[in-house]
Amino acid sequence: MQAIARILHQSLPKPPADLVFGPGLQSVWERCRPEELATLEPLFYCSGRLFVMVPGSAAAARLRQEGPDLLARLRAEPELGELREIVTRRAGRQGPPNVAVKAAAPLRSALGARCFGSLAAMVDDPALKASLARLAVALATDGSQRA
């Protein structure tokens, strides 16, 4: 497990220094938002942008109406002092209606297969070793080989 943690720590990018999310952002949001926007959920704040999950277009329109006052209240908070805009993300369906969703292309990655293969060779736990080996084989082929 330490090998996996080391590889992930080395390969994952560092989060931005001004990233705010979780309970801290939730408490700021609840203090500043009007009661009409109780169904909206803040996702995270980064680089002057607050990302908010909205349940539908009516809630997004209401957020746009309340935008200037809400921005002023949020900017007064020390965590979000550099806030420039509120970006909405809609919950639920990702694409436009009546559009057929294409099947995802098989995932193939020679580099990923080599990484997981070498990681499997370093791990002592037999169950984890077998899982990593299966993942390496799936990445090396078209992904259709399942155990």
Side-chain angles (χ1 to χ4, degrees):
M1 292 308 269
Q2 292 175 349
I4 292 173
R6 187 176 62 245
I7 289 173
L8 289 176
H9 180 71
Q10 292 170 351
S11 63
L12 293 176
K14 301 286 184 238
D18 65 343
L19 180 66
V20 179
F21 63 98
L25 179 61
Q26 188 69 32
S27 65
V28 169
W29 177 255
E30 288 174 2
R31 280 195 310 268
C32 296
R33 69 160 167 75
E35 196 58 38
E36 298 86 27
L37 300 179
T39 59
L40 279 61
E41 179 182 348
L43 298 174
F44 62 92
Y45 167 82
C46 184
S47 302
R49 300 169 78 188
L50 176 62
F51 289 81
V52 177
M53 182 68 70
V54 296
S57 56
R62 183 68 183 178
L63 178 61
R64 283 191 298 277
Q65 290 174 349
E66 297 285 339
D69 294 334
L70 181 59
L71 274 172
R73 286 192 298 270
L74 288 169
R75 284 181 184 140
E77 296 292 327
E79 297 93 341
L80 308 177
E82 298 293 320
L83 181 64
R84 293 188 318 267
E85 67 176 321
I86 298 175
V87 180
T88 58
R89 293 290 178 247
R90 176 139 185 239
R93 186 172 10 108
Q94 296 297 320
N98 302 326
V99 174
V101 177
K102 295 181 182 178
L107 177 65
R108 294 182 67 184
S109 169
L111 177 61
R114 285 195 307 271
C115 286
F116 283 108
S118 64
L119 185 59
M122 295 187 312
V123 172
D124 294 329
D125 182 30
L128 181 58
K129 183 182 286 254
S131 294
L132 291 169
R134 282 193 308 272
L135 181 57
V137 169
L139 287 173
T141 61
D142 65 359
S144 63
Q145 295 183 9
R146 300 192 184 234

